[in-house]
Amino acid sequence: MDFQNRALRHIAVTDPGLPVPHLQPALDGFLHNAVEYQGAWHFVRLFGWLEGRVLGKAADAGLARSMGSLLARLDLALDGFEHPGSNPPLLWDMKRAPGLRQLLPHVACPELSAAIGAVLDRFDANITPLLGQLRSQVIYGDMNLDNVLVEADQPQRISGLIDFGDLVKSPLVMDLAIAAAYQLAPGEDPLAGALPMIAGFHAVRPLQAREQALIGDLVKTRLTTSLLIGTHRASLFPGNRDYLLTSFEPARNALLGLGKLSAADISRRIEAACADG
C-alpha cells in the first residue's frame, strides 16, 4: 500500500493537473492507517472525489486518442519514481507472462488453447530476450474501460482515472499494450480500434522503433493473460464463474481475430499510426 500511496503523491507533485485520485493524509500525517472494525483490523485511506461516470465500453477514435495521450502523460509523471515495493509478484504483470503457461489446462477449447500457446511461445522467443533492454519504469498497468471516468454531460471528455492497484515496474510499452487490448474492435479487423490510442500515446511519449514492433505481441499477451487468469479463477470459484468470465468472449474473439492478421501487417499499421500521430 505504501508503494501505491507514494506513487500517487509523486504524481500530485510532478503533474498536479492529472485527473487521478488525490490521497488525503490523516490528522497524524500518515497516508494510511489501521482501523479495528467488528473484531478485525483493516488498512484504510482517504481519497478525494472524482466526478464522472464509468466509460465501460470501447471509445470512439477521438476519445481513444485522448485516452492514449492521458496514459502517456501519466507515465511521464511516474517516470523516475522509485520504490522498494515496485516489483510485487502480480499475476497481471506482463513481464511474468511465461509463468502463466501452467494455467493452460484450464482452457477447454483446443483452438483457443493453441492460440494462447503460440502467443506465449512468441513472448519467450521475441520479448523475453529484450526485457532488459526496454525502457522500464513504474507503470499504471490497468487502463481498462471500467477504470476510465468521463464527464456525464460531455462523454467525450475524460474526467478521471481510478484504481491504482496494478502499479508495477515494467517496460513502458506494456502500459500502452494493456490499454490497447481494451480498445480492440469487434469483427474482422480488431486492430483498427486500438490504432487511435496508440497514436495518441506516441504523440505525447514517443515510442522507440523496437517498442512499436512489440506492441502487437504484447496486446495478444494481455488478452492471453486475461483468458488464463479468468479461466483459472473460474475453476477455483465456480459459484462466481459468470462474473469472472465476463470478458472471456470479447478477449477470445479479439485474440483469434488478431491471429488472422499477419505480424508484418500489424507492425506496419502500428508504425503508420505512430507516424500519423
Side-chain angles (χ1 to χ4, degrees), residues 221-232:
T221 303
R222 176 62 176 197
L223 295 170
T224 291
T225 299
S226 179
L227 290 163
L228 288 173
I229 293 176
T231 52
H232 175 238

Side-chain angles (χ1 to χ4, degrees), residues 9-10 41 55 92 99 103 107 123 144 148 210 218 233 250:
R9 297 289 276 185
H10 179 84
W41 285 90
L55 175 60
W92 292 96
L103 304 182
V107 180
F123 192 101
N144 72 65
V148 179
R210 62 182 170 188
L218 289 173
R233 289 179 173 171

Side-chain angles (χ1 to χ4, degrees), residues 141-259:
D142 197 17
M143 189 183 248
N144 72 65
L145 305 176
D146 290 331
N147 285 342
V148 179
L149 303 180
V150 294
E151 294 183 10
D153 57 346
Q154 297 187 69
Q156 289 298 112
R157 293 176 60 88
I158 300 170
S159 62
L161 193 60
I162 59 175
D163 189 354
F164 282 67
D166 284 340
L167 284 175
V168 67
K169 187 171 184 177
S170 268
L172 170 67
V173 67
M174 290 185 177
D175 214 8
L176 174 58
I178 290 165
Y182 293 99
Q183 276 298 126
L184 298 172
E188 296 296 318
D189 187 15
L191 183 62
L195 293 176
M197 172 178 279
I198 294 170
F201 186 99
H202 180 73
V204 176
R205 190 82 187 271
L207 294 159
Q208 298 172 349
R210 62 182 170 188
E211 292 171 331
Q212 295 178 33
L214 294 178
I215 291 175
D217 281 335
L218 289 173
V219 169
K220 294 178 186 178
T221 303
R222 176 62 176 197
L223 295 170
T224 291
T225 299
S226 179
L227 290 163
L228 288 173
I229 293 176
T231 52
H232 175 238
R233 289 179 173 171
S235 71
L236 294 177
F237 309 103
N240 204 24
R241 181 179 178 84
D242 289 346
Y243 170 74
L244 292 170
L245 296 181
T246 299
S247 61
F248 179 86
E249 282 302 319
R252 174 188 180 278
N253 294 339
L255 182 61
L256 296 179
L258 285 174

Side-chain angles (χ1 to χ4, degrees), residues 22 47-52:
H22 291 285
F47 291 103
W49 180 257
L50 288 173
E51 294 288 347

Side-chain angles (χ1 to χ4, degrees), residues 98-137:
L100 298 177
R101 194 182 292 270
Q102 61 185 320
L103 304 182
L104 259 176
H106 296 285
V107 180
C109 172
E111 180 187 16
L112 181 59
S113 180
I116 290 174
V119 170
L120 295 177
D121 289 344
R122 283 185 63 86
F123 192 101
D124 286 336
N126 300 333
I127 298 174
T128 297
L130 297 177
L131 286 177
Q133 303 171 37
L134 297 172
R135 292 184 292 177
S136 290
Q137 63 166 84

Side-chain angles (χ1 to χ4, degrees), residues 33-37 40-44:
N33 275 282
V35 174
E36 185 179 12
Y37 178 70
W41 285 90
H42 307 270
F43 283 116
V44 297

